[in-house]
Amino acid sequence: MLSLLLLALLARCSGVSVADPSLAEAPLDWWQNITVYQIYPRSYKDSDGDGIGDLKGITSRLEHIKDAGCGALWLSPIYASPMKDFGYDISNQTLIDPIFGNLDDFKALQKKSKELGLKLILDFVPDYSSDQHIWFKKSVKKIDPYTDYYVWHDGKIDNATGKRTPPNNWVSAFKGSAWAWNEERQQYYYHVFTVQQPDLNYRNKHLVEDMKDVLRYWLRLGVDGFRVDSIPHLFEDTRFLDEPLTHTPGLQPTDYDYTEHVFTQNLPETYDMVHQFRRVLDEFRAADNHTRLMMTEAYANISQMMGYYGTDEKPGAHFTFNFLPIMHLSRSSTAQNFSDVIFEWLDNVPKGRWSNWVFGNHDQPRVASRFGSDLADGINTLLTLLPGTAISYMGEELAMTNTFLTWNQTVDPQGLNAGPQNYSSFSRDPERTPFQWDNSTSAGFSSNPRTWLPVNPNYKTLNLAAEAAAPTSHYKVYQQLNQLRRSRTVQRGSLTVRVVSEWVLAFTRELAGEDTVLAAVNLGPSESTVDLTQHFSGLPQMATVATASVNSGLRRGDKSSPASLKLKGKATVVLTSGQVSGSS
Ligand code: GLC
Ligand code: MG
């Protein structure tokens, strides 16, 4: 026992990942070795000139996902919605919003995805609906079976004033009380997000069945899986007690982090519900042996996140998003910080289960803005070459940056609720502005010069067409990384990570009989020459550059010595012991 512990400790300190032998030879399933490309449908491509992206637009530019080297697309919600939270407030989960198109457009998108060999993943939003959903309208009127489809409460009567107040101190993630008064029903309803997004009540069996039928509806149409939204919020404690205070300095009772969400997040019941959703997906797999993927969204602590993988008896998600890089890393993080985050995830993934990496999405500032444009290639290197599925938000392949928006241009409810002084710290509009295709009108996103969110002014030079034409670019690095990712070494080789210096992080992927892949990322601003042979055994004298960051001064096909690898500030170099085809 002691020696096992010692071994585990040693392995951790030296940065060696103990490869799971059961994984090394098992055949990989379609979702395990791909990069999943996330599309925010309002912002990818507008086909009809209304300034808002749509399905026909996506279909017309599906080739880009394939060219970039990704294997699947995940669409943020495309369903009927009053767009208070831009599609995450759904008024009918089985209808497509006319802004995006119709079912035929969806089928056309699906058909072309198949032709291109791309899997199609939809967003499933179980936690809440729009207040315009027929379920909510009927619930307000107490029409069964909808009466208890939502979380209703009488509230409390304040002894001093005789006035009615919300039942407790629960706060909305978008600021203010999570309780809204409904005049007609004369009760409060709980909403963790906007007032127009009442939370669904997962203690109601009919609701659970209805939501499973939503999954079945899209599964019958042939989708390959779901990203499952906002999982931690599915259940609330039925005692409706006040949540304890965090005592974080500077916060107001209206701030979400003012309270600790012990009664409203990650309740034990949630894990079983995730398993129940998974069983619906597996019903379809049982029929044709094609896995329907389930990826869950949960910003939570490590044991809670791992809980969403489920157990062998009760499997949950195929993987829950690895948000550690988003939660714990920034531009000032050291090589040790990165290594710690990598192993905090890998050491905790349940035995026999698969890892994944997420550095950005439609809710987070752009990678290039969080880590710096000069580190964007380095981040994509980690994303694609570490073991596991890669999840990549549209535009990160170009190192698109946040767009500055004025208060008057702000539309995101999280930004609006923060008010004119603080909106910019909360608004997610900056990472949701239109995809930059080329240097024509509205960056080639729309024929309309006015788009739902303004195009980033840097589109004149920062766009796909320019990056595809340039001899070196973030996009080309991304393509080369995804190409490398298809090698057996990266798909299933072991991982060794070394903290070479305060700022230089290096790792290898190795597989017997295959070429070794060696990546070194300089997270710091100054140039550094490193001797990687001091940190890894069995490296060749000379290796070939498989890809290198735009700012590295190196290009694919160049030769370089692992014993004296010169890394410019913020530069990344990926070497292979084998050959590479083509240069630049
Ligand atoms: C999820 C979505 C986010 C949305 C929130 C509430 O977290 O990712 O965009 O605002 O749910 O609807
Ligand atoms: Mg449109």
Side-chain angles (χ1 to χ4, degrees):
M1 182 64 204
L2 198 71
S3 61
L4 260 182
L5 206 74
L6 215 69
L7 213 74
L9 266 173
L10 270 175
R12 203 194 144 106
C13 295
S14 62
V16 177
S17 95
V18 190
D20 184 339
S22 63
L23 286 182
E25 283 314 315
L28 293 181
D29 206 350
W30 67 263
W31 53 273
Q32 294 185 290
N33 48 27
I34 54 167
T35 298
V36 176
Y37 189 88
Q38 181 195 355
I39 288 190
Y40 194 68
R42 295 178 65 89
S43 298
Y44 188 67
K45 173 72 185 162
D46 173 24
S47 73
D48 58 3
D50 66 353
I52 307 175
D54 44 55
L55 293 177
K56 277 201 177 110
I58 297 172
T59 307
S60 73
R61 295 292 166 91
L62 268 186
E63 285 84 355
H64 168 58
I65 300 165
K66 177 98 182 159
D67 293 347
C70 301
L73 55 149
W74 145 36
L75 302 180
S76 279
I78 53 171
Y79 319 110
S81 168
M83 300 286 166
K84 298 296 178 201
D85 195 22
F86 299 103
Y88 281 95
D89 50 318
I90 302 171
S91 52
N92 187 328
Q93 294 92 343
T94 55
L95 274 187
I96 288 167
D97 196 280
I99 285 182
F100 298 125
N102 57 36
L103 193 58
D104 286 338
D105 299 330
F106 177 78
K107 288 181 176 165
L109 164 63
Q110 208 175 12
K111 183 161 172 276
K112 188 163 168 192
S113 303
K114 261 221 171 80
E115 284 163 12
L116 292 173
L118 296 170
K119 299 288 189 290
L120 181 57
I121 299 166
L122 294 185
D123 218 306
F124 175 56
V125 185
D127 186 51
Y128 39 85
S129 77
S130 160
D131 61 354
Q132 299 306 305
H133 200 296
I134 187 74
W135 297 345
F136 189 71
K137 292 183 177 172
K138 291 190 173 171
S139 195
V140 164
K141 296 193 185 312
K142 297 195 178 174
I143 298 174
D144 280 334
Y146 304 103
T147 309
D148 295 323
Y149 265 37
Y150 296 85
V151 183
W152 293 102
H153 200 286
D154 292 335
K156 290 188 298 206
I157 303 293
D158 187 317
N159 284 337
T161 63
K163 271 178 67 180
R164 196 185 292 273
T165 61
N168 54 36
N169 69 349
W170 295 358
V171 192
S172 157
F174 287 169
K175 217 178 168 65
S177 174
W179 295 98
W181 180 250
N182 182 271
E183 202 49 45
E184 191 174 342
R185 182 159 156 157
Q186 290 285 301
Q187 274 188 312
Y188 289 97
Y189 63 88
Y190 175 70
H191 62 91
V192 69
F193 293 104
T194 68
V195 183
Q196 297 95 346
Q197 287 167 296
D199 267 58
L200 291 160
N201 174 18
Y202 274 82
R203 302 186 193 278
N204 184 291
K205 289 196 181 62
H206 297 290
L207 178 268
V208 171
E209 281 317 303
D210 272 350
M211 289 310 287
K212 289 180 182 173
D213 283 344
V214 170
L215 289 171
R216 290 189 184 103
Y217 175 84
W218 293 105
L219 287 165
R220 276 190 203 109
L221 279 170
V223 306
D224 297 293
F226 297 93
R227 173 263 193 187
V228 184
D229 174 90
S230 296
I231 274 297
H233 308 282
L234 289 188
F235 285 89
E236 295 75 33
D237 191 290
T238 51
R239 291 168 298 169
F240 296 101
L241 300 172
D242 274 356
E243 292 194 316
L245 308 187
T246 59
H247 300 290
T248 312
L251 292 185
Q252 306 296 315
T254 49
D255 291 322
Y256 194 54
D257 293 341
Y258 189 76
T259 54
E260 229 175 285
H261 306 294
V262 294
F263 297 134
T264 55
Q265 278 198 29
N266 305 299
L267 299 198
E269 299 89 322
T270 320
Y271 301 94
D272 182 64
M273 191 52 60
V274 170
H275 166 64
Q276 292 190 39
F277 291 148
R278 169 67 184 268
R279 277 185 26 197
V280 175
L281 271 60
D282 286 353
E283 285 167 14
F284 284 76
R285 183 181 200 280
D288 59 10
N289 210 29
H290 171 59
T291 301
R292 308 315 197 275
L293 176 65
M294 178 171 172
M295 353 184 249
T296 42
E297 184 213 27
Y299 293 89
N301 70 34
I302 190 78
S303 64
Q304 291 161 338
M305 283 196 277
M306 292 305 162
Y308 292 119
Y309 273 93
T311 61
D312 286 346
E313 299 73 45
K314 285 186 147 200
H318 290 88
F319 54 79
T320 197
F321 284 151
N322 173 0
F323 285 143
L324 295 180
I326 287 177
M327 289 160 43
H328 300 312
L329 297 175
S330 68
R331 186 166 173 81
S332 56
S333 300
T334 61
Q336 187 64 54
N337 298 150
F338 271 76
S339 174
D340 288 348
V341 158
I342 292 167
F343 285 105
E344 187 179 0
W345 189 263
L346 290 178
D347 290 348
N348 282 294
V349 170
K351 195 173 165 346
R353 304 300 300 278
W354 196 249
S355 178
N356 75 97
W357 305 92
V358 186
F359 280 86
N361 59 42
H362 66 297
D363 293 327
Q364 305 299 333
R366 288 273 179 197
V367 163
S369 298
R370 239 174 320 129
F371 292 94
S373 298
D374 48 7
L375 205 59
D377 299 329
I379 297 296
N380 280 336
T381 300
L382 294 166
L383 176 74
T384 50
L385 299 186
L386 288 173
T389 305
I391 320 292
S392 190
Y393 179 49
M394 64 178 218
E396 306 288 35
E397 73 277 33
L398 309 179
M400 274 177 62
T401 62
N402 277 357
T403 304
F404 171 79
L405 297 174
T406 65
W407 166 247
N408 285 332
Q409 290 171 316
T410 297
V411 295
D412 175 25
Q414 185 168 263
L416 292 176
N417 289 358
Q421 299 309 317
N422 298 323
Y423 79 96
S424 64
S425 315
F426 290 90
S427 176
R428 297 164 298 177
D429 295 331
E431 62 264 23
R432 296 175 176 179
T433 59
F435 188 87
Q436 294 163 208
W437 294 99
D438 56 39
N439 63 6
S440 69
T441 303
S442 290
F445 161 72
S446 175
S447 58
N448 193 330
R450 288 176 61 90
T451 51
W452 80 282
L453 281 174
V455 171
N456 193 309
N458 65 16
Y459 81 93
K460 291 262 180 210
T461 51
L462 199 171
N463 61 64
L464 176 64
E467 293 199 23
T472 61
S473 66
H474 300 299
Y475 177 60
K476 290 215 164 141
V477 172
Y478 186 91
Q479 284 182 308
Q480 289 161 2
L481 286 168
N482 270 331
Q483 187 184 333
L484 201 55
R485 199 174 151 70
R486 283 192 278 275
S487 66
R488 275 179 52 80
T489 307
V490 176
Q491 285 189 11
R492 51 203 324 161
S494 66
L495 168 76
T496 307
V497 179
R498 302 288 188 205
V499 174
V500 171
S501 67
E502 185 178 12
W503 297 111
V504 176
L505 181 81
F507 64 94
T508 54
R509 301 297 310 278
E510 286 172 289
L511 189 66
E514 303 282 339
D515 299 330
T516 293
V517 172
L518 168 66
V521 185
N522 184 358
L523 301 159
S526 351
E527 185 171 298
S528 170
T529 299
V530 291
D531 177 0
L532 294 175
T533 60
Q534 298 274 316
H535 300 272
F536 302 92
S537 55
L539 294 182
Q541 283 292 306
M542 265 299 158
T544 308
V545 174
T547 189
S549 60
V550 174
N551 55 358
S552 68
L554 290 168
R555 287 210 210 165
R556 181 177 173 81
D558 287 352
K559 297 284 174 205
S560 185
S561 163
S564 62
L565 181 64
K566 196 199 262 183
L567 287 166
K568 296 193 175 177
K570 303 281 178 182
T572 294
V573 177
V574 182
L575 301 173
T576 168
S577 60
Q579 303 297 313
V580 297
S581 57
S583 59
S584 98

